[in-house]
Amino acid sequence: MDSKELMILAAQACDDKRAEDIVVLDMGEVSLIADYFLICEGSNERQVQAIAREVKEKAEEAGLSVTRIEGFEQARWILVDLNGVICHIFHKDERNYYNLERLWGDAPTVAIESV
């Protein structure tokens, strides 16, 4: 599975748990960290954890290993590292504060057609 397919799988997992404002940044020309950043938010800690859990489960079902999950207990900003794709799952109150879309403003946004 290439990074684009993995990004689509992660976006679908986020959508399945009703993540809001899903944005994907193409990091290929901007950073060596990952090919894609997927950024989304949940309305409360429980939903943020459910989104992260779904991303992890869908990746494992596809035979992929999750490199790292950070911030799960606090559920304010959970980072799920899938190697080529890094999912940033925010609590809605935290997303505007960190504003990754502005921080990585040089990265083009990827349109996700009805995931």
Side-chain angles (χ1 to χ4, degrees):
M1 179 176 290
D2 68 13
S3 292
K4 185 173 183 175
E5 293 169 328
L6 181 56
M7 174 270 295
I8 292 168
L9 181 137
Q12 288 173 334
C14 292
D15 188 58
D16 288 348
K17 291 299 178 183
R18 305 203 189 292
E20 298 172 16
D21 198 13
I22 301 170
V23 174
V24 176
L25 302 178
D26 184 346
M27 302 300 289
E29 300 296 320
V30 179
S31 174
L32 299 174
I33 297 170
D35 295 327
Y36 296 99
F37 275 5
L38 186 149
I39 305 165
C40 67
E41 66 187 56
S43 58
N44 58 56
E45 288 87 354
R46 209 175 255 174
Q47 184 185 20
V48 171
Q49 288 176 332
I51 295 166
R53 206 176 290 114
E54 184 74 3
V55 169
K56 179 181 184 289
E57 288 173 6
K58 293 295 183 185
E60 289 173 347
E61 286 173 12
L64 305 167
S65 62
V66 176
T67 305
R68 171 176 290 172
I69 296 180
E70 297 285 339
F72 189 83
E73 293 302 318
Q74 295 81 19
R76 303 300 290 180
W77 175 4
I78 300 177
L79 183 141
V80 181
D81 186 349
L82 303 171
N83 280 327
V85 178
I86 298 179
C87 300
H88 299 272
I89 306 163
F90 285 97
H91 187 287
K92 68 178 180 177
D93 296 338
E94 303 294 321
R95 184 167 183 179
N96 286 334
Y97 179 78
Y98 290 102
N99 200 354
L100 293 184
E101 293 95 323
R102 184 181 55 80
L103 181 65
W104 293 99
D106 294 346
T109 303
V110 177
I112 307 171
E113 289 82 7
S114 62
V115 293

